[in-house]
C-alpha cells in the first residue's frame, strides 16, 4: 500500500487488495502442487538488534540522530506558530500570496520529514518507549501545523474570481497554478465563513459511526469451534481468515457460520451504525450543494460519477466470466456445490518451501526488466541502500507499506516470510516506491503527493509484469496452474469483489437519500442479492453471507473501494501496452504517470499515460485478460 503522511495516513491496499483474503494456502481439496525450490529455513529474529544491517532500512539517511531531529521539530513548531502572520493578507497581491504559499510549502515539507522519521522508527520497534515519545511529539507538532494553517484555504477561496484569474496568469505563481485551480474548482461548494466553521465543529460527529463500529467489532466475543483435530479453539476476529483458509472444509464451514451468526446477533446495532455514516455523508453532500454523496466524494479527485457508474456497468456485463470461473472452481475442488466458505480455497496448492530473500530480489528484478534499465537500476539501488526493512520481529508493525517524505528517498516496510505471495508484495510496494521516486524527482513539493486513484496503478502494474515473467519461466504444468490460480484470484478479489462493494455502497446511499430505512433486514437483503448476482448459480446460497457488510470497515470510508477496481483495470491495460509496444509505452508511463504526481487531475494523468478511465475500455480490456487466463487454466485442467 501507499502510506499517506501525517493526519491522513491510510491503509489503502495489501498485496492483492485491501479487502481480499490471502488465498495462497493449503487445502484438503487441492490435487496439484507447484514444483518446489531448494528448501531452506526462514530466519527468526527476536529483537531488531539481531537483524543484519543490510535487511534494515536506514532512517539515519533522514536524520543522523535524535538531536538533529529534535532541532527540526523545534524549527517546525516555530514555523507553524509564525504562519498566521499572513492571515488577512493573501488576497492583497500576487506577491503576498506567493510568500504565503512558499512558506506553507516549506512548513508542510518539514512536517512530513519530521513525522515519517518518528512514525517509521516506531513501526519497526514499537516496544521502545523513547520512540513512542518521538511519535507523540511529531503528532502534536502535526496537530499544531493543522491548527495554524486552517485559515488559509478559506481565505484563498474568498479572493474574487477576477483577481484570482490574474494571479493564475502570474509567472511567479506558476508552480502553484494546479494547486490554486484545484481550490478554485471547489468554490461553488464552499459555504459562508460561519457555515464552514459550523461544519468543522460538526465534523467529528460524522466520524462517530466509524468509531462505534471499530469498538463494537473489537468487543464482540465469538464462540469456540472445533479445529481439524477435533480440539476446541477460540474463534476471533484476528484468526477468522486463517480458519477460512483451513484445509478442512468442516472447519471452514464452522468458522464461517459461527462468525456471521455472531455478527447477526448484533445486526441492529451494526445497521444503525452504518446508516448513521450514510446519513452523515448524504447530509454533508447536501450542505455543500452536491446532488449526491457519491459526487461529493469523487469531487476531491475531480473524478466524474460516470467513472463509478461505468465501472459497475462494465463489471456487471462481464459477470458470466466470473460465473464460469466458479464452475471451474467447483470442478477442481471436486465438490457438488461451492459455498462462500470455499471461496478462499485455492484450486492449486501453495508452495510452502521458503524462498530466500536474495532469490526474491532476483525474481523481482527479472520480472520488472520490461520497465527499462533506468527503472531497474533504481530498483537495485533500493535493495542495497537502505530503502527496505525486510524481516519481522514481535514488535514490528504487520503488513507492508511504502512511505517517506519529499526530502527522503522512498522507504518500504515488509514482513518477509519467504512465500511466493511475498515476492508479489515486494513488487507491489516497489511500484509505489518508484512512483514516489520519479514524482519527487520531477515535481515540486506542492504537486508531489499523488492520490490513491493513481497510486495503485503503479503498484499493480508491477504485479502484472511479475506474473508474466514468472509464467514465462514456469517449467511444469503444476507451476503454470499455480500462477494462473493466483492471477484469477487477483481478478476476483480486486476487479469483481471491490466493484461488488462499490455497487452496494452506492445503493445504500441512494436508498437513504430517497428516504428509505437502512434497517438490518433491508441491508441484509440488498447485500445478499448483490452477492448472489456476482457469484451466480455455481455458488450455493449461504444465508450467513448476508451479514458480510458488517465485517467490511471500508464501507465507512466514503466511496473509497472503487479505486482498487479502476486502478487494477488501468494497470492491466498498461501492462498489455508494455508487452506490445515496449519502450514507447515504458517511456510514456514513466513520464506521464510515475513522474506526474498530482500535477493534473488523476483521470488526465492516466489518459496521458495511455488509459482513458472515463470509458469502459480499460475494464473491458482487463476482462479479456481474465478470460484468456481462464481459458488457459481450463485447457491445462483438461489436459491428460
Amino acid at each position: 500500500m501507499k502510506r499517506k503522511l501525517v493526519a491522513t495516513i491510510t491503509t489503502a491496499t495489501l498485496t492483492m487488495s485491501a479487502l481480499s483474503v490471502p488465498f495462497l494456502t493449503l487445502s484438503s481439496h487441492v490435487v496439484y502442487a507447484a514444483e518446489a525450490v531448494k528448501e531452506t529455513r526462514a530466519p527468526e529474529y527476536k529483537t531488531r538488534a539481531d537483524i543484519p544491517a543490510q535487511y534494515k532500512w536506514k532512517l539515519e539517511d533522514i536524520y543522523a540522530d535524535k538531536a538533529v531531529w529534535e532541532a527540526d521539530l523545534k524549527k517546525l513548531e516555530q514555523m507553524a506558530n509564525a504562519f498566521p502572520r499572513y492571515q488577512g493578507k493573501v488576497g492583497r497581491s500576487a506577491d503576498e500570496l506567493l510568500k504565503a504559499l512558499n512558506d506553507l510549502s516549506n512548513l508542510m515539507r518539514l512536517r512530513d520529514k519530521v513525522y515519517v522519521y518518528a512514525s517509521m522508527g516506531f513501526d519497526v520497534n514499537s516496544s521502545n518507549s523513547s520512540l513512542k515519545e518521538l511519535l507523540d511529539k511529531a503528532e502534536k507538532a502535526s496537530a499544531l501545523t493543522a491548527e495554524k494553517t486552517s485559515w488559509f484555504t478559506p481565505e484563498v477561496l474568498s479572493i474574487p474570481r477576477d483577481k484570482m484569474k490574474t494571479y493564475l496568469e502570474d509567472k511567479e505563481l506558476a508552480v502553484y497554478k494546479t494547486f490554486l485551480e484545484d481550490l478554485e474548482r471547489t468554490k461553488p461548494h464552499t459555504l459562508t465563513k460561519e457555515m464552514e466553521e459550523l461544519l468543522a465543529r460538526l465534523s467529528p460527529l460524522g466520524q462517530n459511526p466509524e468509531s462505534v463500529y471499530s469498538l463494537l467489532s473489537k468487543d464482540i466475543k465469538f464462540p469456540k469451534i472445533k479445529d481439524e483435530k477435533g480440539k476446541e479453539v477460540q474463534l476471533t476476529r484476528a484468526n477468522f481468515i486463517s480458519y477460512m483458509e483451513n484445509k478442512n472444509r468442516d472447519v471452514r464451514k464452522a468458522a464461517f457460520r459461527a462468525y456471521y451468526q455472531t455478527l447477526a446477533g448484533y445486526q441492529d446495532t451494526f445497521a444503525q451504525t452504518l446508516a448513521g455514516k450514510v446519513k452523515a455523508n448524504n447530509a454533508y453532500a447536501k450542505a455543500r450543494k452536491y446532488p449526491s454523496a457519491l459526487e461529493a466524494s469523487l469531487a476531491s479527485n475531480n473524478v466524474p460519477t460516470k467513472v463509478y457508474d461505468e465501472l459497475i456497468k462494465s463489471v456487471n456485463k462481464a459477470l458470466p466470466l466470473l460465473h464460469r470461473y466458479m464452475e471451474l472452481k467447483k470442478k477442481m475442488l471436486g465438490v457438488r456445490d461451492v459455498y462462500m466458505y470455499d471461496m478462499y480455497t485455492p484450486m492449486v496448492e501453495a508452495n510452502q518451501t521458503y524462498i530466500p530473500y536474495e532469490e526474491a530480489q532476483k525474481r523481482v528484478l527479472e520480472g520488472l526488466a520490461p520497465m527499462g534499465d533506468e527503472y531497474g537500476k533504481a530498483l537495485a539501488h533500493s535493495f542495497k541502500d537502505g530503502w527496505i526493512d525486510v524481516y519481522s520481529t514481535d514488535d514490528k508493525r504487520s503488513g507492508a507499506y511504502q512511505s517517506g517524505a519529499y526530502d527522503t528517498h522512498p522507504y518500504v516496510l515488509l514482513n518477509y516470510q519467504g512465500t511466493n505471495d511475498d515476492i508479489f508484495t515486494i513488487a507491489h510496494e516497489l511500484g509505489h516506491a518508484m512512483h514516489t521516486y520519479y514524482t519527487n524527482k520531477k515535481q515540486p513539493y506542492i504537486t508531489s503527493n499523488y492520490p490513491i486513484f493513481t497510486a495503485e496503478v503503479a503498484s499493480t502494474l508491477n504485479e502484472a509484469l511479475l506474473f508474466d515473467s514468472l509464467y514465462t519461466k514456469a517449467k511444469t504444468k503444476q507451476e503454470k496452474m499455480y500462477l494462473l490460480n493466483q492471477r484469477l484470484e487477483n481478478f476476483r478479489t480486486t476487479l469483481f469483489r471491490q466493484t461488488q462493494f462499490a455497487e452496494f455502497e452506492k445503493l445504500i446511499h441512494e436508498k437513504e437519500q430517497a428516504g428509505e430505512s437502512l434497517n438490518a433486514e433491508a441491508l441484509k437483503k440488498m447485500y445478499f442479492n448483490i452477492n448472489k448476482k456476482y457469484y451466480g448459480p455455481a455458488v450455493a446460497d449461504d444465508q450467513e453471507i448476508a451479514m458480510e457488510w458488517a465485517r467490511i470497515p471500508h464501507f465507512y470510508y466514503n466511496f473509497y473501494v472503487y479505486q482498487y477496481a479502476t486502478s487494477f483495470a488501468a494497470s492491466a491495460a498498461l501492462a498489455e501496452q508494455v508487452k506490445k509496444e515496449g519502450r514507447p509505452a515504458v517511456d510514456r508511463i514513466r513520464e506521464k504517470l510515475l513522474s506526474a504526481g498530482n500535477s493534473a487531475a488523476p483521470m488526465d494523468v492516466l489518459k496521458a499515460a495511455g488509459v482513458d478511465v472515463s470509458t469502459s475500455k480499460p475494464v473491458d480490456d482487463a476482462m479479456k485478460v481474465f478470460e484468456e487466463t481462464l481459458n488457459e487454466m481450463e485447457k491445462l485442467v483438461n489436459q491428460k
Side-chain angles (χ1 to χ4, degrees):
M1 65 182 173
K2 169 70 169 73
R3 181 175 177 179
K4 288 187 177 181
L5 296 175
V6 196
T8 55
I9 295 175
T10 61
T11 53
T13 174
L14 299 177
T15 309
M16 305 302 170
S17 158
L19 299 182
S20 66
V21 180
F23 51 86
L24 298 178
T25 52
L26 295 172
S27 166
S28 59
H29 301 287
V30 167
V31 293
Y32 304 98
E35 186 176 65
V37 297
K38 185 177 179 181
E39 186 173 0
T40 57
R41 289 191 61 187
E44 296 180 4
Y45 298 106
K46 292 184 178 181
T47 68
R48 187 153 182 83
D50 297 332
I51 302 176
Q54 67 264 32
Y55 301 123
K56 295 188 284 191
W57 57 24
K58 294 180 180 178
L59 295 186
E60 60 268 27
D61 290 349
I62 307 177
Y63 290 107
D65 53 40
K66 181 181 175 182
V68 181
W69 179 84
E70 292 275 7
D72 259 6
L73 177 70
K74 184 176 181 180
K75 181 180 177 182
L76 173 63
E77 292 168 346
Q78 291 171 343
M79 291 172 65
N81 283 317
F83 188 72
R85 71 183 183 276
Y86 293 108
Q87 194 165 1
K89 301 177 182 178
V90 295
R92 292 180 181 177
S93 66
D95 185 57
E96 287 289 347
L97 180 57
L98 178 63
K99 289 178 183 178
L101 284 168
N102 284 338
D103 277 7
L104 178 65
S105 182
N106 291 332
L107 172 60
M108 295 304 180
R109 282 177 66 171
L110 185 59
R111 175 204 63 174
D112 293 351
K113 186 179 178 184
V114 165
Y115 186 87
V116 299
Y117 178 81
S119 64
M120 290 193 299
F122 181 73
D123 280 351
V124 296
N125 201 348
S126 60
S127 62
N128 188 315
S129 58
S130 64
L131 293 177
K132 181 61 169 67
E133 182 182 351
L134 259 64
L135 180 58
D136 289 343
K137 289 180 178 180
E139 288 176 342
K140 289 178 181 177
S142 176
L144 175 68
T145 302
E147 176 190 343
K148 297 298 182 180
T149 60
S150 61
W151 59 270
F152 183 75
T153 296
E155 188 161 319
V156 170
L157 289 173
S158 71
I159 298 173
R161 285 187 180 275
D162 290 345
K163 183 179 283 190
M164 178 58 75
K165 185 177 180 181
T166 63
Y167 289 172
L168 292 173
E169 294 169 355
D170 192 297
K171 291 182 180 179
E172 294 296 320
L173 282 166
V175 70
Y176 297 109
K177 185 176 181 180
T178 300
F179 173 76
L180 292 171
E181 285 178 337
D182 211 39
L183 287 182
E184 192 71 8
R185 180 175 56 81
T186 68
K187 200 166 188 174
H189 304 286
T190 302
L191 308 178
T192 64
K193 180 182 177 181
E194 292 74 19
M195 283 298 295
E196 289 290 346
E197 289 176 353
L198 178 61
L199 280 183
R201 292 193 191 102
L202 293 175
S203 63
L205 298 179
Q207 302 304 317
N208 195 52
E210 182 182 352
S211 299
V212 173
Y213 170 82
S214 298
L215 291 172
L216 176 61
S217 300
K218 177 179 69 70
D219 290 342
I220 288 177
K221 304 302 180 185
F222 295 94
K224 290 182 178 181
I225 62 171
K226 289 186 178 181
D227 65 13
E228 62 275 17
K229 297 178 181 179
K231 179 183 176 182
E232 278 201 342
V233 290
Q234 180 65 55
L235 181 65
T236 68
R237 186 173 58 151
N239 66 21
F240 171 65
I241 296 304
S242 65
Y243 286 119
M244 287 294 295
E245 298 169 342
N246 195 279
K247 294 164 59 176
N248 188 297
R249 198 183 196 201
D250 290 334
V251 172
R252 295 198 304 273
K253 179 180 178 180
F256 181 86
R257 292 189 171 175
Y259 194 93
Y260 287 118
Q261 287 171 7
T262 301
L263 292 186
Y266 300 85
Q267 65 178 28
D268 293 331
T269 305
F270 276 117
Q272 186 71 12
T273 304
L274 182 56
K277 183 62 177 177
V278 173
K279 288 176 182 178
N281 291 341
N282 281 340
Y284 176 86
K286 185 176 181 180
R288 291 204 174 278
K289 303 173 185 177
Y290 286 103
S292 68
L294 175 62
E295 186 167 329
S297 177
L298 269 58
S300 62
N301 279 334
N302 200 13
V303 174
T305 56
K306 178 186 176 183
V307 172
Y308 200 101
D309 294 335
E310 281 292 337
L311 170 68
I312 294 173
K313 180 180 177 182
S314 298
V315 170
N316 271 255
K317 184 175 66 176
L319 286 179
L321 286 174
L322 181 59
H323 300 167
R324 188 174 133 200
Y325 175 43
M326 292 298 101
E327 292 287 353
L328 178 63
K329 192 175 187 74
K330 180 169 67 172
K331 177 180 178 179
M332 292 185 69
L333 293 180
V335 295
R336 188 177 65 181
D337 292 302
V338 175
Y339 286 83
M340 290 306 296
Y341 51 76
D342 296 319
M343 204 50 57
Y344 305 108
T345 305
M347 300 182 299
V348 181
E349 185 173 333
N351 179 4
Q352 297 297 299
T353 305
Y354 178 76
I355 304 168
Y357 179 62
E358 286 70 19
E359 173 63 22
Q361 292 182 24
K362 178 184 175 183
R363 294 185 193 182
V364 169
L365 288 171
E366 290 175 350
L368 303 184
M371 290 300 292
D373 291 341
E374 180 185 339
Y375 194 96
K377 287 178 182 178
L379 285 176
H381 185 63
S382 74
F383 284 127
K384 66 181 182 180
D385 289 327
W387 289 24
I388 306 174
D389 205 87
V390 181
Y391 294 115
S392 302
T393 55
D394 287 343
D395 60 352
K396 182 178 179 179
R397 174 178 171 148
S398 62
Y401 68 69
Q402 182 267 319
S403 189
Y406 187 75
D407 294 304
T408 77
H409 58 68
Y411 285 89
V412 169
L413 181 139
L414 302 174
N415 280 277
Y416 187 77
Q417 299 297 315
T419 67
N420 191 67
D421 196 32
D422 284 331
I423 300 177
F424 279 88
T425 299
I426 295 170
H428 182 104
E429 298 306 335
L430 285 177
H432 290 313
M434 296 305 295
H435 197 175
T436 298
Y437 172 77
Y438 280 112
T439 291
N440 288 355
K441 282 180 64 176
K442 182 73 175 287
Q443 297 297 327
Y445 172 81
I446 201 69
T447 55
S448 64
N449 191 19
Y450 51 86
I452 295 296
F453 196 87
T454 55
E456 291 305 311
V457 178
S459 55
T460 51
L461 170 61
N462 274 10
E463 290 188 62
L465 295 175
L466 177 61
F467 167 83
D468 289 334
S469 172
L470 294 177
Y471 193 73
T472 300
K473 293 180 175 68
K475 298 177 181 179
T476 68
K477 174 182 175 180
Q478 288 78 13
E479 284 182 290
K480 290 179 179 179
M481 291 182 68
Y482 173 80
L483 290 166
L484 291 170
N485 182 187
Q486 181 179 13
R487 189 180 218 189
L488 289 168
E489 280 296 288
N490 254 333
F491 272 88
R492 183 187 71 80
T493 57
T494 308
L495 191 50
F496 287 105
R497 183 166 164 83
Q498 307 314 311
T499 305
Q500 176 189 345
F501 290 160
E503 186 170 347
F504 175 73
E505 191 172 8
K506 182 172 186 283
L507 180 60
I508 61 177
H509 279 79
E510 289 174 345
K511 292 291 186 182
E512 197 284 328
Q513 190 175 19
E516 296 186 30
S517 171
L518 295 183
N519 57 65
E521 292 303 323
L523 290 169
K524 287 165 64 177
K525 183 178 180 180
M526 283 186 278
Y527 193 88
F528 181 84
N529 288 339
I530 290 175
N531 190 80
K532 186 174 179 63
K533 177 179 71 171
Y534 270 72
Y535 285 97
V539 178
D541 289 347
D542 283 300
Q543 294 303 316
E544 288 84 6
I545 200 63
M547 279 300 300
E548 189 177 36
W549 55 269
R551 194 177 70 85
I552 309 301
H554 289 64
F555 290 143
Y556 293 83
Y557 297 174
N558 196 12
F559 297 101
Y560 188 88
V561 295
Y562 85 98
Q563 297 172 106
Y564 299 134
T566 54
S567 295
F568 188 88
S571 66
L574 292 177
E576 289 298 304
Q577 291 175 24
V578 170
K579 285 194 290 184
K580 293 176 181 177
E581 299 177 35
R583 183 167 181 175
V586 169
D587 290 345
R588 186 172 62 246
I589 291 167
R590 183 181 64 250
E591 294 301 318
K592 303 300 183 181
L593 170 62
L594 301 182
S595 301
N598 63 348
S599 60
M603 284 182 57
D604 294 337
V605 168
L606 289 178
K607 188 172 183 178
V611 183
D612 186 356
V613 295
S614 68
T615 72
S616 65
K617 191 175 187 306
V619 176
D620 293 342
D621 288 348
M623 290 303 179
K624 291 177 184 177
V625 176
F626 179 72
E627 185 173 17
E628 291 168 1
T629 307
L630 185 56
N631 290 342
E632 182 70 11
M633 187 65 144
E634 290 172 337
K635 184 177 77 172
L636 290 175
V637 168
N638 292 326
Q639 279 182 0
K640 297 295 184 179

